[in-house]
Amino acid sequence: MGPLIPNGILTNEWNIIIAVLIGLAFGFILEASGFSSSRKLAGVFYGYDFAVLKVFFTAAVVSVIGLYYMDYLGWIDMGMLYVHPTYLWAAIIGGAIMGVGFVAGGFCPGTSLCAVAIGKLDAWVYVFGIMLGVFIFSEAYSVLEGLYNGSFLGNITLVDSFDIPANYIIFGVTIIALVAFFVSDIVRKRIKKVFY
Amino acid sequence: MDKSSENNRHVYWNPYFGGFLLGLLIIFTFYMTGRGLGASGAMKSSVVTLVDKVSHEHTINNAYYSKFVKDDESPMNTWLVFESLGVLAGAFISGSLSGRIGFRVQHSPKITSRRRLVFALFGGILFGLGAQIARGCTSGAALSGMAVLSTGGFITMLAIFGTAYLFAYFFRKNWI
Amino acid sequence: MINRNLAKILAKRYIILASLLLIAALGLVLLPAYQKNEHVTAEDLLAKVVNPERYVTSDDLAHKIIAKDPSILLIDLRDEEEYAEYTLAGALNIPFDAILNADYEAYLNQGQYDVVLFSNDDFKADQAWLILTRLDYKNLHVLKGGINGWYNTILNPPEPTENMAKEAFERYDFRKAAAMYFGVGIKAQDNEQQLNRTPKKVVVPVMKKKKRKPEGGC
């Protein structure tokens, strides 16, 4: 069974069609959830709008629970899925740089594409900035290569890192997410409303 | 623009509903292709293509570009580029259904749009740089990584949001 | 008038949704663990079991060895002592108990060679074949009759009687020639057995995954 394309159940030509369809749905969901608005996105850092946290955590929890149920039922082979590789320091430093970029620019790449589609000029500039950033990285690759390729831990999951069964980790993540939702609602009630 | 769509502009989906659909979409994506969503990959492909157009020799000699340049096909011919085209179309459909289309610069009333654009460019550069170092952005590394419990995905997610909270204070004037 | 009960339920909708999510996550924890049927389905396995191609006759094998067919890899499943005593030319010793040892996986789980498993008879080899096929290893074969069958057909073939078909004579001739090739005269195999043991080291390149791994990254 799944994943269908790597297992050769669907031919490779479908890959492109599915890519466009998935992108279509992805863009629609992001835009309809309000992710094309940088002020709504930035709200999560100032406590006036927690849409990012809610959408992000709900999506993560739903997908991880769903995938593991499908794995249990034998519909999908978890071993075949692409696991984002862990380069410890690259992830931390790259993430930190992205964090500053996020709060300064108010977008992340996916949401900026949505905002580009509906004509936000700040998003056009932002996307141009991302491309400039990629360009700078590529030109400085010889300097950054050590960081980029260093501290490689493999395509590991939390199951390997903590040596706890996946089910317990998922349960823990779910509880963390629910607590975060609850706390975010309390915080939002206390913070002055910002209209945007 | 009539009144109803004017009111519609700030009516978004319930975030839990959006998140639930996004979760289903991630499951579907993994079920179909065995990989997650992504966004910054398309921009990387565009940069590689542009640089390749300007100077092919340079892309061959640069250790990073040369990973993505193949002789027989364009670097644009990747899954993520097609997915990103879909994102643009999907967002446009959603935006036009609720009347959010229009060229404008969105910024807090306390700052000028010029300042907003400068910060957008600055933030974009940082995000582009960081996304390359961490091999993925919020969608590719954090969201899709978390769906398969990837350690790297969780670390990236924590690093992004942790630093963003730390630095939020310095950028507060831009937003509130 | 709006249904009051409905309004009551709606007011608690987030709590209900949160509990649903929690139950779903708890369900994963509480689901009974089960041994997942990995790699091969029952139908596939059955189809492979009944496929006659899984057996190699000793004549075919002798042909291939004489022709120095580079695509075969002989695996001797008997223990080390028996292997040291006598084995087929170029065979590699992987004792039956060690076939799942990670050290040997590169030899057994690969797509470049036709692996021929053999032991004294074909019973042990069949068992090994089943275990490895269950793991979805490819290109596995069993030497029909094992070493005993090899001895009885190739090294010490029964002489055909006069009323047998022409093919039987041809086969006998081939077997005699093969026995000579393997260094064992039909009568003198006892003292020359030591000669044909060629513990040639078989080098198998690291196997590649057959299925396309999905690439990812943002």
Side-chain angles (χ1 to χ4, degrees), chain A residues 5-7 12 61-62 65 68-69 71-74 79-82 167-168 170-171 174-175 178, chain C residues 14 18-19 21-29 31-34 36 211-217:
Chain A
I5 290 174
N7 274 339
N12 226 358
V61 169
V62 167
I65 290 177
Y68 272 85
Y69 269 109
D71 182 49
Y72 187 84
L73 296 171
M80 289 284 296
L81 301 185
Y82 174 78
N167 302 343
Y168 292 92
I170 295 168
F171 188 60
T174 311
I175 289 178
L178 290 176
Chain C
Y14 287 128
S19 343
L21 202 59
L22 211 59
I23 289 167
L26 202 63
L28 268 182
V29 176
L31 276 175
Y34 74 114
K36 220 185 303 172
K211 276 170 186 164
R212 205 165 55 83
K213 263 277 174 195
E215 50 174 311

Short mmCIF file of all heavy atoms in Angstrom, two decimals, chain A residues 5-7 12 61-62 65 68-69 71-74 79-82 167-168 170-171 174-175 178, chain C residues 14 18-19 21-29 31-34 36 211-217:
data_model
loop_
_atom_site.label_atom_id
_atom_site.label_comp_id
_atom_site.label_asym_id
_atom_site.label_seq_id
_atom_site.Cartn_x
_atom_site.Cartn_y
_atom_site.Cartn_z
N ILE A 5 3.21 6.53 -4.71
CA ILE A 5 4.16 6.75 -5.81
C ILE A 5 5.50 6.07 -5.57
O ILE A 5 5.99 5.36 -6.45
CB ILE A 5 4.29 8.26 -6.10
CG1 ILE A 5 2.98 8.75 -6.71
CG2 ILE A 5 5.45 8.53 -7.04
CD1 ILE A 5 2.90 10.22 -6.91
N PRO A 6 6.10 6.19 -4.37
CA PRO A 6 7.37 5.46 -4.18
C PRO A 6 7.20 3.95 -4.30
O PRO A 6 8.13 3.26 -4.70
CB PRO A 6 7.80 5.85 -2.77
CG PRO A 6 7.14 7.13 -2.52
CD PRO A 6 5.84 7.07 -3.24
N ASN A 7 6.03 3.43 -3.98
CA ASN A 7 5.83 2.00 -4.11
C ASN A 7 5.47 1.58 -5.53
O ASN A 7 5.22 0.41 -5.78
CB ASN A 7 4.72 1.53 -3.15
CG ASN A 7 5.28 1.23 -1.78
OD1 ASN A 7 6.47 1.00 -1.64
ND2 ASN A 7 4.43 1.24 -0.78
N ASN A 12 4.98 7.62 -12.08
CA ASN A 12 5.67 8.85 -11.73
C ASN A 12 5.03 10.08 -12.38
O ASN A 12 5.15 11.18 -11.86
CB ASN A 12 7.12 8.74 -12.19
CG ASN A 12 8.06 9.20 -11.11
OD1 ASN A 12 7.60 9.64 -10.06
ND2 ASN A 12 9.34 9.14 -11.37
N VAL A 61 -0.81 17.54 14.97
CA VAL A 61 -1.37 16.47 15.78
C VAL A 61 -2.28 15.58 14.94
O VAL A 61 -2.18 14.35 14.97
CB VAL A 61 -2.13 17.07 16.99
CG1 VAL A 61 -2.94 16.01 17.68
CG2 VAL A 61 -1.15 17.68 17.97
N VAL A 62 -3.15 16.21 14.16
CA VAL A 62 -4.06 15.42 13.31
C VAL A 62 -3.25 14.53 12.36
O VAL A 62 -3.53 13.34 12.20
CB VAL A 62 -5.01 16.35 12.52
CG1 VAL A 62 -5.71 15.59 11.41
CG2 VAL A 62 -6.03 16.95 13.45
N ILE A 65 -1.36 11.65 14.24
CA ILE A 65 -2.29 10.61 14.70
C ILE A 65 -2.81 9.82 13.49
O ILE A 65 -2.82 8.59 13.49
CB ILE A 65 -3.45 11.24 15.50
CG1 ILE A 65 -2.95 11.76 16.84
CG2 ILE A 65 -4.55 10.21 15.74
CD1 ILE A 65 -4.00 12.45 17.66
N TYR A 68 -0.20 7.45 12.01
CA TYR A 68 0.09 6.26 12.80
C TYR A 68 -1.09 5.29 12.81
O TYR A 68 -0.89 4.08 12.86
CB TYR A 68 0.55 6.64 14.22
CG TYR A 68 2.04 6.83 14.23
CD1 TYR A 68 2.61 8.05 13.89
CD2 TYR A 68 2.89 5.78 14.49
CE1 TYR A 68 3.98 8.21 13.85
CE2 TYR A 68 4.26 5.93 14.46
CZ TYR A 68 4.80 7.15 14.13
OH TYR A 68 6.15 7.29 14.07
N TYR A 69 -2.33 5.82 12.72
CA TYR A 69 -3.45 4.89 12.56
C TYR A 69 -3.36 4.17 11.22
O TYR A 69 -3.63 2.97 11.12
CB TYR A 69 -4.79 5.64 12.66
CG TYR A 69 -5.34 5.70 14.06
CD1 TYR A 69 -5.36 6.88 14.77
CD2 TYR A 69 -5.82 4.55 14.67
CE1 TYR A 69 -5.85 6.93 16.06
CE2 TYR A 69 -6.32 4.59 15.96
CZ TYR A 69 -6.32 5.78 16.65
OH TYR A 69 -6.79 5.82 17.93
N ASP A 71 -0.71 3.55 9.60
CA ASP A 71 0.38 2.58 9.72
C ASP A 71 -0.12 1.33 10.44
O ASP A 71 0.17 0.20 10.05
CB ASP A 71 1.54 3.23 10.50
CG ASP A 71 2.73 2.30 10.62
OD1 ASP A 71 3.13 1.75 9.58
OD2 ASP A 71 3.25 2.13 11.73
N TYR A 72 -0.92 1.55 11.48
CA TYR A 72 -1.45 0.42 12.26
C TYR A 72 -2.33 -0.47 11.39
O TYR A 72 -2.27 -1.69 11.47
CB TYR A 72 -2.24 0.96 13.45
CG TYR A 72 -2.69 -0.12 14.40
CD1 TYR A 72 -1.84 -0.59 15.38
CD2 TYR A 72 -3.97 -0.67 14.30
CE1 TYR A 72 -2.23 -1.57 16.24
CE2 TYR A 72 -4.36 -1.67 15.17
CZ TYR A 72 -3.49 -2.11 16.14
OH TYR A 72 -3.89 -3.10 16.98
N LEU A 73 -3.12 0.19 10.56
CA LEU A 73 -4.02 -0.58 9.70
C LEU A 73 -3.30 -1.15 8.48
O LEU A 73 -3.91 -1.83 7.67
CB LEU A 73 -5.18 0.31 9.23
CG LEU A 73 -6.09 0.81 10.35
CD1 LEU A 73 -7.06 1.85 9.82
CD2 LEU A 73 -6.86 -0.36 10.95
N GLY A 74 -2.04 -0.82 8.34
CA GLY A 74 -1.28 -1.35 7.21
C GLY A 74 -1.53 -0.62 5.91
O GLY A 74 -1.26 -1.15 4.84
N GLY A 79 8.05 3.31 7.31
CA GLY A 79 9.46 3.23 6.96
C GLY A 79 9.78 3.83 5.60
O GLY A 79 10.92 4.16 5.31
N MET A 80 8.75 3.96 4.76
CA MET A 80 8.98 4.49 3.42
C MET A 80 8.89 6.01 3.39
O MET A 80 9.23 6.62 2.39
CB MET A 80 7.94 3.93 2.45
CG MET A 80 8.08 2.48 2.12
SD MET A 80 9.42 2.18 0.98
CE MET A 80 8.81 3.05 -0.47
N LEU A 81 8.37 6.60 4.44
CA LEU A 81 8.14 8.03 4.40
C LEU A 81 9.46 8.79 4.56
O LEU A 81 10.38 8.31 5.21
CB LEU A 81 7.17 8.46 5.50
CG LEU A 81 5.80 7.79 5.44
CD1 LEU A 81 4.90 8.38 6.50
CD2 LEU A 81 5.17 7.94 4.08
N TYR A 82 9.49 9.96 3.96
CA TYR A 82 10.68 10.79 4.08
C TYR A 82 10.73 11.41 5.46
O TYR A 82 9.80 12.13 5.85
CB TYR A 82 10.65 11.87 3.01
CG TYR A 82 11.78 12.86 3.15
CD1 TYR A 82 13.05 12.52 2.70
CD2 TYR A 82 11.58 14.10 3.71
CE1 TYR A 82 14.08 13.41 2.83
CE2 TYR A 82 12.62 15.00 3.84
CZ TYR A 82 13.87 14.65 3.39
OH TYR A 82 14.89 15.53 3.52
N ASN A 167 3.71 5.85 20.16
CA ASN A 167 2.35 6.12 20.64
C ASN A 167 2.36 7.06 21.84
O ASN A 167 1.53 7.95 21.95
CB ASN A 167 1.67 4.82 21.05
CG ASN A 167 1.64 3.85 19.89
OD1 ASN A 167 1.82 4.26 18.75
ND2 ASN A 167 1.42 2.60 20.18
N TYR A 168 3.33 6.84 22.73
CA TYR A 168 3.39 7.69 23.92
C TYR A 168 3.82 9.10 23.53
O TYR A 168 3.33 10.09 24.09
CB TYR A 168 4.35 7.09 24.95
CG TYR A 168 3.81 5.81 25.53
CD1 TYR A 168 4.13 4.58 24.98
CD2 TYR A 168 2.94 5.84 26.61
CE1 TYR A 168 3.62 3.40 25.50
CE2 TYR A 168 2.42 4.68 27.14
CZ TYR A 168 2.77 3.46 26.59
OH TYR A 168 2.24 2.31 27.09
N ILE A 170 3.21 10.57 20.71
CA ILE A 170 2.06 11.23 20.08
C ILE A 170 1.07 11.69 21.14
O ILE A 170 0.55 12.81 21.08
CB ILE A 170 1.39 10.26 19.09
CG1 ILE A 170 2.34 9.95 17.94
CG2 ILE A 170 0.10 10.85 18.56
CD1 ILE A 170 1.90 8.82 17.08
N PHE A 171 0.85 10.83 22.12
CA PHE A 171 -0.07 11.19 23.19
C PHE A 171 0.44 12.43 23.92
O PHE A 171 -0.31 13.37 24.18
CB PHE A 171 -0.22 10.01 24.16
CG PHE A 171 -1.29 10.21 25.18
CD1 PHE A 171 -2.61 10.40 24.79
CD2 PHE A 171 -0.99 10.22 26.52
CE1 PHE A 171 -3.60 10.58 25.72
CE2 PHE A 171 -1.98 10.41 27.46
CZ PHE A 171 -3.29 10.59 27.07
N THR A 174 0.00 15.50 21.78
CA THR A 174 -1.41 15.90 21.77
C THR A 174 -1.76 16.69 23.02
O THR A 174 -2.41 17.74 22.95
CB THR A 174 -2.31 14.65 21.69
OG1 THR A 174 -1.84 13.83 20.66
CG2 THR A 174 -3.75 15.04 21.43
N ILE A 175 -1.29 16.19 24.17
CA ILE A 175 -1.61 16.90 25.41
C ILE A 175 -0.96 18.28 25.41
O ILE A 175 -1.59 19.28 25.76
CB ILE A 175 -1.14 16.07 26.63
CG1 ILE A 175 -2.05 14.86 26.76
CG2 ILE A 175 -1.15 16.89 27.90
CD1 ILE A 175 -1.68 13.94 27.88
N LEU A 178 -3.04 20.54 23.27
CA LEU A 178 -4.30 20.95 23.88
C LEU A 178 -4.06 21.98 24.98
O LEU A 178 -4.80 22.97 25.09
CB LEU A 178 -5.03 19.72 24.45
CG LEU A 178 -5.57 18.76 23.39
CD1 LEU A 178 -6.19 17.54 24.05
CD2 LEU A 178 -6.61 19.46 22.51
N TYR C 14 -15.56 23.08 21.82
CA TYR C 14 -14.10 22.92 21.84
C TYR C 14 -13.68 21.83 22.80
O TYR C 14 -12.76 21.08 22.53
CB TYR C 14 -13.43 24.24 22.21
CG TYR C 14 -13.48 25.23 21.09
CD1 TYR C 14 -13.97 26.51 21.27
CD2 TYR C 14 -13.06 24.86 19.80
CE1 TYR C 14 -14.03 27.41 20.23
CE2 TYR C 14 -13.14 25.75 18.76
CZ TYR C 14 -13.62 27.02 18.97
OH TYR C 14 -13.68 27.89 17.93
N ALA C 18 -11.68 18.66 21.71
CA ALA C 18 -10.41 18.34 22.38
C ALA C 18 -10.45 16.92 22.92
O ALA C 18 -9.48 16.17 22.80
CB ALA C 18 -10.16 19.33 23.50
N SER C 19 -11.62 16.53 23.49
CA SER C 19 -11.68 15.16 24.02
C SER C 19 -11.59 14.15 22.90
O SER C 19 -10.97 13.10 23.06
CB SER C 19 -12.97 14.94 24.80
OG SER C 19 -13.57 16.13 25.14
N LEU C 21 -9.92 14.42 20.17
CA LEU C 21 -8.51 14.33 19.79
C LEU C 21 -7.74 13.50 20.81
O LEU C 21 -6.93 12.64 20.47
CB LEU C 21 -7.93 15.74 19.70
CG LEU C 21 -6.68 15.92 18.85
CD1 LEU C 21 -6.99 15.49 17.43
CD2 LEU C 21 -6.25 17.35 18.87
N LEU C 22 -8.06 13.76 22.08
CA LEU C 22 -7.38 13.04 23.15
C LEU C 22 -7.70 11.56 23.08
O LEU C 22 -6.82 10.70 23.23
CB LEU C 22 -7.84 13.62 24.50
CG LEU C 22 -6.81 13.57 25.61
CD1 LEU C 22 -5.57 14.33 25.21
CD2 LEU C 22 -7.39 14.16 26.87
N ILE C 23 -8.96 11.25 22.79
CA ILE C 23 -9.35 9.84 22.70
C ILE C 23 -8.62 9.18 21.53
O ILE C 23 -8.13 8.05 21.64
CB ILE C 23 -10.88 9.72 22.55
CG1 ILE C 23 -11.56 10.10 23.85
CG2 ILE C 23 -11.28 8.32 22.14
CD1 ILE C 23 -13.04 10.34 23.73
N ALA C 24 -8.53 9.91 20.43
CA ALA C 24 -7.84 9.35 19.27
C ALA C 24 -6.39 9.05 19.60
O ALA C 24 -5.84 7.99 19.25
CB ALA C 24 -7.92 10.31 18.09
N ALA C 25 -5.74 10.00 20.32
CA ALA C 25 -4.34 9.78 20.67
C ALA C 25 -4.21 8.65 21.68
O ALA C 25 -3.31 7.81 21.58
CB ALA C 25 -3.75 11.06 21.25
N LEU C 26 -5.14 8.61 22.62
CA LEU C 26 -5.12 7.55 23.63
C LEU C 26 -5.35 6.20 22.97
O LEU C 26 -4.76 5.19 23.35
CB LEU C 26 -6.20 7.83 24.67
CG LEU C 26 -6.02 7.18 26.03
CD1 LEU C 26 -4.76 7.71 26.67
CD2 LEU C 26 -7.21 7.44 26.91
N GLY C 27 -6.20 6.22 21.95
CA GLY C 27 -6.48 4.98 21.23
C GLY C 27 -5.21 4.36 20.69
O GLY C 27 -5.00 3.14 20.77
N LEU C 28 -4.32 5.21 20.18
CA LEU C 28 -3.05 4.69 19.63
C LEU C 28 -2.24 4.01 20.72
O LEU C 28 -1.62 2.98 20.51
CB LEU C 28 -2.23 5.84 19.06
CG LEU C 28 -2.40 6.18 17.60
CD1 LEU C 28 -1.47 7.31 17.23
CD2 LEU C 28 -2.11 4.98 16.72
N VAL C 29 -2.28 4.62 21.93
CA VAL C 29 -1.51 4.04 23.03
C VAL C 29 -2.10 2.70 23.44
O VAL C 29 -1.39 1.74 23.73
CB VAL C 29 -1.50 5.01 24.22
CG1 VAL C 29 -0.78 4.39 25.40
CG2 VAL C 29 -0.82 6.31 23.83
N LEU C 31 -4.12 0.68 21.73
CA LEU C 31 -4.29 -0.37 20.73
C LEU C 31 -3.35 -1.53 21.04
O LEU C 31 -2.20 -1.31 21.39
CB LEU C 31 -3.96 0.16 19.33
CG LEU C 31 -5.07 0.88 18.59
CD1 LEU C 31 -4.52 1.43 17.28
CD2 LEU C 31 -6.21 -0.05 18.30
N PRO C 32 -3.85 -2.73 20.94
CA PRO C 32 -2.95 -3.86 21.22
C PRO C 32 -1.81 -3.89 20.22
O PRO C 32 -2.01 -3.70 19.02
CB PRO C 32 -3.86 -5.08 21.06
CG PRO C 32 -4.98 -4.60 20.22
CD PRO C 32 -5.18 -3.16 20.52
N ALA C 33 -0.63 -4.08 20.74
CA ALA C 33 0.51 -4.18 19.84
C ALA C 33 0.37 -5.46 19.02
O ALA C 33 -0.15 -6.46 19.50
CB ALA C 33 1.80 -4.23 20.65
N TYR C 34 0.75 -5.39 17.82
CA TYR C 34 0.66 -6.60 17.00
C TYR C 34 1.88 -6.69 16.10
O TYR C 34 2.50 -5.69 15.76
CB TYR C 34 -0.61 -6.59 16.16
CG TYR C 34 -0.60 -5.66 14.98
CD1 TYR C 34 -0.63 -6.16 13.68
CD2 TYR C 34 -0.53 -4.29 15.16
CE1 TYR C 34 -0.61 -5.31 12.60
CE2 TYR C 34 -0.50 -3.43 14.08
CZ TYR C 34 -0.55 -3.96 12.80
OH TYR C 34 -0.53 -3.12 11.73
N LYS C 36 3.49 -6.74 12.94
CA LYS C 36 3.03 -6.31 11.63
C LYS C 36 3.50 -7.28 10.55
O LYS C 36 4.60 -7.80 10.59
CB LYS C 36 3.55 -4.91 11.32
CG LYS C 36 2.48 -4.10 10.62
CD LYS C 36 3.01 -2.76 10.22
CE LYS C 36 3.55 -1.98 11.39
NZ LYS C 36 4.22 -0.77 10.93
N LYS C 211 13.58 -0.10 -3.93
CA LYS C 211 12.49 0.87 -4.08
C LYS C 211 13.04 2.28 -4.02
O LYS C 211 13.99 2.57 -3.32
CB LYS C 211 11.46 0.66 -2.98
CG LYS C 211 10.47 -0.43 -3.34
CD LYS C 211 9.61 -0.78 -2.17
CE LYS C 211 8.73 -1.98 -2.49
NZ LYS C 211 8.19 -2.56 -1.29
N ARG C 212 12.41 3.14 -4.75
CA ARG C 212 12.83 4.53 -4.80
C ARG C 212 12.43 5.19 -3.48
O ARG C 212 11.28 5.21 -3.10
CB ARG C 212 12.10 5.21 -5.94
CG ARG C 212 12.79 6.42 -6.50
CD ARG C 212 12.16 6.75 -7.83
NE ARG C 212 10.73 6.91 -7.69
CZ ARG C 212 10.15 8.03 -7.30
NH1 ARG C 212 10.85 9.08 -7.02
NH2 ARG C 212 8.84 8.11 -7.22
N LYS C 213 13.42 5.71 -2.79
CA LYS C 213 13.11 6.42 -1.57
C LYS C 213 12.55 7.78 -1.93
O LYS C 213 13.07 8.45 -2.82
CB LYS C 213 14.39 6.61 -0.74
CG LYS C 213 14.55 5.55 0.33
CD LYS C 213 13.76 5.93 1.56
CE LYS C 213 13.80 4.81 2.58
NZ LYS C 213 12.78 4.98 3.62
N PRO C 214 11.50 8.19 -1.25
CA PRO C 214 11.00 9.52 -1.56
C PRO C 214 12.01 10.57 -1.12
O PRO C 214 12.60 10.46 -0.05
CB PRO C 214 9.73 9.62 -0.73
CG PRO C 214 9.90 8.63 0.34
CD PRO C 214 10.74 7.53 -0.20
N GLU C 215 12.22 11.53 -1.96
CA GLU C 215 13.11 12.62 -1.58
C GLU C 215 12.24 13.71 -0.97
O GLU C 215 11.05 13.77 -1.22
CB GLU C 215 13.83 13.16 -2.79
CG GLU C 215 12.86 13.44 -3.88
CD GLU C 215 13.43 14.11 -5.07
OE1 GLU C 215 14.13 15.10 -4.89
OE2 GLU C 215 13.15 13.67 -6.17
N GLY C 216 12.84 14.53 -0.20
CA GLY C 216 12.01 15.55 0.43
C GLY C 216 12.76 16.84 0.58
O GLY C 216 13.66 17.13 -0.18
N GLY C 217 12.38 17.57 1.58
CA GLY C 217 13.07 18.82 1.83
C GLY C 217 12.29 19.97 1.29
O GLY C 217 11.46 19.83 0.40
#
